[in-house]
Amino acid sequence: MVSVLTDYGLADEFVGVLHSVLARLAPGCPVVDLTHGVRRQDVRAGSLALLRVATYLADGVVLAVVDPGVGTARRGVALARPAGATAAPGGSRPGGHGFSPQVAFVAPDNGLVVPALRALGGPWEAVALDGRGYGLGGGGPTFDGRDVFAPAAAHLARGGELGDLGPPVALGSLVQLPAPVTVWRGRAELTSEVTWVDNFGNVQLAAPPVPGGGADIFGTGRATLRRPGPSRPSGPSRPSGPGGAAWAVTVVRAFAELGPGRLGLLVDSCGQLALCLDGASAAELTGLKEGDLVTLLP
Amino acid sequence: MVSVLTDYGLADEFVGVLHSVLARLAPGCPVVDLTHGVRRQDVRAGSLALLRVATYLADGVVLAVVDPGVGTARRGVALARPAGATAAPGGSRPGGHGFSPQVAFVAPDNGLVVPALRALGGPWEAVALDGRGYGLGGGGPTFDGRDVFAPAAAHLARGGELGDLGPPVALGSLVQLPAPVTVWRGRAELTSEVTWVDNFGNVQLAAPPVPGGGADIFGTGRATLRRPGPSRPSGPSRPSGPGGAAWAVTVVRAFAELGPGRLGLLVDSCGQLALCLDGASAAELTGLKEGDLVTLLP
Amino acid sequence: MVSVLTDYGLADEFVGVLHSVLARLAPGCPVVDLTHGVRRQDVRAGSLALLRVATYLADGVVLAVVDPGVGTARRGVALARPAGATAAPGGSRPGGHGFSPQVAFVAPDNGLVVPALRALGGPWEAVALDGRGYGLGGGGPTFDGRDVFAPAAAHLARGGELGDLGPPVALGSLVQLPAPVTVWRGRAELTSEVTWVDNFGNVQLAAPPVPGGGADIFGTGRATLRRPGPSRPSGPSRPSGPGGAAWAVTVVRAFAELGPGRLGLLVDSCGQLALCLDGASAAELTGLKEGDLVTLLP
């Protein structure tokens, strides 16, 4: 099985070319599209999407391509478990579903897969993709997904050795992105970065709930949300704070517990705090977008 | 085979997670994406899309998730033919393609699958999904597609028993949505609800043609379309009625029979009446959207 | 394997119906979606997308449907290699990947597959689809993808004979679209048509680089881009020409070689010249769209 995540979008035939190359080089191997809707060239958004899906991955190879540096000296890498190794028990696996994905990764070395690697727990070994003997020629050097990464993934999917893909590299040399910001002041106040605005307009924060569960986060089940910076609210609800962007939020377990236009805070399907509305977009209401900082107060 | 319909969109990794869970729990089972483009949380639009594809479904399990009530007390259900039963000959199967899909359904109990159930004909038996022994833990209670529905679908796809998924429920207790409006006044006048605006801007009505075929509907091959309410026309054509939204429509069999900007009425690929233009969007021209009512007059 | 390209989009269940029909009529046959994002009813854009993917196609059947003439007397066609024949060595295969796809095509006869046929090299034989014995009834005549083309593709995917699908037609009678415009004035000046604006805003031209490689095209590694017609530039960069739309462009091999807002010219992954920016959309900067003509000067 090859699982694929890219920022190619579906308007062009890029994804179709990847599938075609995989079908040629690893015949009969099933392919799962994780998503191709990562914001173009947004490595961080891609790394967070891959993190969210990590513990659910089908066993096999993960082909991840968000690659603004294509054609430059940036490395491509492949990562797999060392022979005989299994995931260390110390791997921080969120969720209670009990899956333990046995996967390898093929991706540019720009931080894209690092959060997922960590979530799955070590040990890992890595090689730098040199394309020798497996890369495809043709065209210019702007489509390594087709010419290098997919052939490398097909090699692993066929049961090929990691070491055939290029020379070993130290894990410590992998490019890493800064972690999303989360600052707790006790259990009373939280400043956190928006990590995801999904298709429904739910606004995920970097923060998990404090131990004790989401319903206990802010004692009374209510909190105040503050967004620094100029106010750009829209929608039926108005900021409650004088001269600033602030909203009352209600702690809930389900969207439908909220009345129309009331902003909610819940533990989302990733185990993270998220802002939501019932049947509407919390992102639209608050004007929040990925990378913004918000503060939650009692 | 598992056929999947959701309102998840393709910008996020939701669909990829569903596929990954299906691959883990029902290895080797092929998956068909019916669509993930249902307008978010629009159960009725989802139910009509599922109805349109119903008689073409591949044999297997249909996993349908449009679920604004996720996390509340709303039930999930699974439906299958009773052991030994086949579809009743009285099932109202549109079309002459002769397929007779052997399918089971897994979905929230909110009306989403009821029109498709009817189109395929009874008998059916149903259970309420309790998630015991097959549901996935982890995260908050906002992604039952991943945590309950996909595991239930995988269970059936592996050949598991319906009764393993939860206690039986009466078919009569299933939530139903109101049927789209269609009122004929003889063969001379029709008031009908817009059931679908497709990617090409074709505007499907709830009404099938009267017996005799589309070309005979309005005798002369021409009709007048009236849209109640304030006029919001756009595009090259103008409403013909004084002070109101009305258009002359020509009965055709193919888009290309129409001249530029001329509104047509045809029997569409579902056997329903539909408004269309040649190479342009009838929805844009008329301002019609799903749920609107229109009247057709001789 | 069936590879599918359409202009159906993914908002509706059209693609799901195609997959369902293929699953019913050619059980177990894997399907690759090349793209369903061709601009609606834009046969030429579809033909160019199919051309770009042609030499990477998985062996099997290509089902291509962009079909504004559906329901009219326009023919459907199927094409395959004559029995015993292989691609002529004279086929103009771009790229050095060495694939030699063994494919058949099913499509409307409107020019959609002709550029791909040429790229793969002859010989081909063709039949006109008459739907007899394999077409699906039901609904109106507006969804030949479902009712004629997919069943024909399934027939070939099952190993059926081309001749079963309808009477032979002469290759010379196939509808052809005009080729994109490319006019060189020696190696000093080029007028070329925009053939593709991709998801990243890269602007592909009809012109391949002159022999010698992209870096040598314009000697100094710099050129001037002129766009005739009224100026509609946007973005941080401004046209450099007095009173007209003109930009300095730098010849590069990778997007990341460019500074912010600097327009680049490279040989893209199809071996064509393309305009690009680093991390931004060259199409937005220049206002160029598919079908526009541009001139490149030293």
Side-chain angles (χ1 to χ4, degrees):
Chain A
M1 179 79 71
V2 178
S3 300
V4 193
L5 175 145
T6 76
D7 65 343
Y8 291 168
L10 295 169
D12 304 302
E13 73 285 357
F14 295 126
V15 173
V17 171
L18 280 202
H19 278 252
S20 299
V21 168
L22 290 171
R24 295 203 76 84
L25 298 182
C29 178
V31 179
V32 162
D33 292 303
L34 297 175
T35 185
H36 301 289
V38 174
R39 195 182 308 111
R40 57 187 188 190
Q41 308 198 326
D42 189 335
V43 178
R44 197 174 196 223
S47 75
L48 294 173
L50 199 55
L51 171 62
R52 291 189 298 265
V53 72
T55 62
Y56 295 92
L57 287 166
D59 291 350
V61 183
V62 178
L63 169 59
V65 189
V66 180
D67 193 15
V70 65
T72 66
R74 76 92 187 81
R75 295 186 298 198
V77 289
L79 298 113
R81 303 284 182 202
T86 54
S92 61
R93 294 190 195 82
H97 50 66
F99 296 150
S100 183
Q102 302 302 311
V103 288
F105 290 88
V106 173
D109 177 20
N110 58 14
L112 181 59
V113 299
V114 174
L117 289 176
R118 289 220 181 95
L120 294 169
W124 296 98
E125 60 180 348
V127 300
L129 303 177
D130 60 17
R132 274 180 243 167
Y134 62 91
L136 302 179
T142 58
F143 195 179
D144 277 357
R146 176 192 72 188
D147 298 333
V148 178
F149 297 121
H155 173 81
L156 296 177
R158 286 191 314 261
E161 293 295 323
L162 186 71
D164 297 341
L165 296 174
V169 296
L171 285 177
S173 74
L174 294 182
V175 173
Q176 300 189 29
L177 300 171
V181 172
T182 297
V183 182
W184 287 92
R185 293 199 185 79
R187 293 170 59 139
E189 190 179 325
L190 166 69
T191 294
S192 189
E193 186 175 337
V194 172
T195 46
W196 184 28
V197 172
D198 73 17
N199 179 50
F200 298 90
N202 300 311
V203 177
Q204 188 188 63
L205 305 182
V210 290
D216 301 320
I217 301 172
F218 296 105
T220 61
R222 304 188 60 81
T224 299
L225 171 76
R226 287 219 183 121
R227 195 178 56 99
S231 174
R232 292 165 303 159
S234 66
S237 177
R238 293 279 133 230
S240 61
W247 294 265
V249 298
T250 309
V251 177
V252 292
R253 278 179 56 83
F255 307 122
E257 291 175 24
L258 292 160
R262 285 186 58 194
L263 199 60
L265 178 71
L266 50 62
V267 180
D268 75 2
S269 62
C270 304
Q272 302 287 116
L273 291 179
L275 302 162
C276 60
L277 286 176
D278 182 27
S281 165
E284 237 173 72
L285 174 72
T286 60
L288 287 169
K289 56 187 198 313
E290 291 166 21
D292 285 351
L293 285 180
V294 296
T295 299
L296 281 165
L297 303 148
Chain B
M1 179 78 72
V2 178
S3 300
V4 193
L5 175 145
T6 76
D7 64 343
Y8 291 168
L10 296 168
D12 304 302
E13 72 284 0
F14 295 126
V15 172
V17 172
L18 280 201
H19 278 250
S20 298
V21 169
L22 290 171
R24 294 203 77 83
L25 299 181
C29 177
V31 178
V32 162
D33 292 304
L34 297 175
T35 184
H36 301 288
V38 174
R39 195 181 307 113
R40 59 186 186 189
Q41 308 199 325
D42 189 337
V43 178
R44 198 175 195 222
S47 75
L48 294 172
L50 199 55
L51 171 62
R52 291 190 297 266
V53 73
T55 62
Y56 295 91
L57 287 166
D59 292 349
V61 184
V62 178
L63 170 59
V65 189
V66 180
D67 193 17
V70 64
T72 67
R74 75 95 186 80
R75 295 187 298 200
V77 288
L79 298 112
R81 302 285 182 200
T86 54
S92 60
R93 294 191 196 81
H97 51 68
F99 296 149
S100 182
Q102 303 301 311
V103 287
F105 290 89
V106 172
D109 176 21
N110 58 14
L112 182 60
V113 299
V114 174
L117 290 176
R118 288 220 181 95
L120 293 169
W124 296 99
E125 60 178 350
V127 299
L129 303 177
D130 60 18
R132 275 180 242 166
Y134 61 93
L136 302 180
T142 58
F143 195 0
D144 278 357
R146 177 192 71 187
D147 297 333
V148 178
F149 296 121
H155 173 82
L156 296 177
R158 287 191 314 261
E161 295 292 323
L162 185 71
D164 297 341
L165 296 175
V169 296
L171 286 177
S173 73
L174 295 182
V175 173
Q176 300 189 29
L177 300 170
V181 172
T182 297
V183 181
W184 287 92
R185 294 198 185 80
R187 294 171 58 138
E189 188 180 326
L190 165 69
T191 294
S192 189
E193 187 175 336
V194 172
T195 46
W196 183 29
V197 173
D198 73 17
N199 180 50
F200 298 90
N202 300 310
V203 177
Q204 187 188 62
L205 305 182
V210 291
D216 301 320
I217 302 173
F218 296 106
T220 61
R222 305 187 60 81
T224 299
L225 171 76
R226 288 219 182 121
R227 195 179 55 100
S231 175
R232 293 165 303 160
S234 66
S237 175
R238 292 281 134 228
S240 60
W247 294 265
V249 299
T250 309
V251 177
V252 292
R253 278 178 56 83
F255 306 122
E257 291 174 24
L258 292 160
R262 285 184 59 194
L263 198 61
L265 178 70
L266 50 61
V267 180
D268 75 3
S269 62
C270 304
Q272 303 286 116
L273 292 178
L275 302 162
C276 60
L277 287 175
D278 183 27
S281 165
E284 237 173 72
L285 174 72
T286 61
L288 288 168
K289 56 186 195 315
E290 291 168 21
D292 284 351
L293 285 180
V294 296
T295 298
L296 283 164
L297 303 149
Chain C
M1 180 77 72
V2 178
S3 300
V4 192
L5 175 145
T6 75
D7 64 343
Y8 291 169
L10 295 170
D12 304 302
E13 73 284 359
F14 294 126
V15 172
V17 171
L18 280 201
H19 278 251
S20 298
V21 168
L22 290 171
R24 294 203 76 83
L25 299 181
C29 177
V31 178
V32 162
D33 291 304
L34 297 175
T35 184
H36 301 288
V38 175
R39 195 182 308 111
R40 58 188 187 188
Q41 308 198 325
D42 189 337
V43 178
R44 198 176 194 222
S47 76
L48 294 172
L50 199 55
L51 171 63
R52 291 189 296 265
V53 72
T55 62
Y56 294 92
L57 287 166
D59 292 350
V61 183
V62 178
L63 168 59
V65 188
V66 179
D67 192 16
V70 63
T72 66
R74 76 91 189 81
R75 293 187 300 198
V77 289
L79 298 113
R81 302 284 182 203
T86 55
S92 61
R93 293 190 197 82
H97 51 66
F99 297 150
S100 182
Q102 302 302 309
V103 288
F105 289 89
V106 172
D109 177 20
N110 57 15
L112 182 59
V113 299
V114 174
L117 290 176
R118 289 220 182 94
L120 293 169
W124 296 99
E125 62 179 348
V127 299
L129 303 177
D130 59 18
R132 275 180 241 166
Y134 63 91
L136 302 180
T142 57
F143 195 180
D144 277 357
R146 177 191 71 188
D147 297 334
V148 178
F149 297 120
H155 173 81
L156 296 176
R158 287 192 313 263
E161 294 293 323
L162 186 71
D164 298 341
L165 296 175
V169 296
L171 284 178
S173 73
L174 294 182
V175 172
Q176 300 189 30
L177 300 170
V181 172
T182 298
V183 182
W184 287 92
R185 293 199 184 79
R187 293 171 59 140
E189 189 180 327
L190 164 70
T191 295
S192 188
E193 187 176 335
V194 172
T195 46
W196 183 28
V197 173
D198 74 16
N199 179 51
F200 299 90
N202 300 311
V203 178
Q204 187 188 63
L205 305 182
V210 290
D216 301 320
I217 302 172
F218 296 105
T220 62
R222 303 188 59 82
T224 299
L225 171 77
R226 286 219 184 122
R227 195 179 55 100
S231 173
R232 293 164 302 159
S234 66
S237 177
R238 294 280 133 230
S240 61
W247 293 265
V249 298
T250 309
V251 177
V252 292
R253 278 178 56 84
F255 307 122
E257 290 174 26
L258 292 160
R262 285 186 58 195
L263 199 61
L265 178 70
L266 50 62
V267 180
D268 75 4
S269 61
C270 304
Q272 303 285 116
L273 291 179
L275 302 164
C276 60
L277 286 176
D278 182 27
S281 165
E284 237 173 72
L285 174 72
T286 59
L288 288 169
K289 55 186 199 312
E290 291 167 21
D292 285 351
L293 285 179
V294 297
T295 299
L296 282 164
L297 304 147

